[in-house]
Amino acid sequence: MTYPTAVREAARVIAIEAARAYVANIRPIDLTNPRVLVGHLMAAETLLMDIVTAHDEPTATDRAAE
């Protein structure tokens, strides 16, 4: 699906800011607790997948260039 450029850019900014906010709110991690580590890794993976998705979907400008 093609989204207007402004909508796609907003989605990109939101995805990146969500990742930044998550990282900013991480307290010191107990490296001896595997459950905490797995939870942080899963959350980080989800945020990175959102960033990739936001950058992979074409915008109206991208479609016009083709």
Side-chain angles (χ1 to χ4, degrees), residues 6-50:
V7 173
R8 181 52 44 217
E9 288 301 321
R12 291 173 180 167
V13 170
I14 289 169
I16 291 169
E17 288 302 318
R20 285 184 184 160
Y22 180 77
V23 170
N25 289 319
I26 293 177
R27 295 180 206 97
I29 299 171
D30 179 8
L31 298 177
T32 62
N33 187 340
R35 292 180 184 186
V36 170
L37 292 173
V38 169
H40 281 296
L41 289 172
M42 290 174 61
E45 181 180 15
T46 301
L47 290 167
L48 289 172
M49 290 179 352
D50 290 344

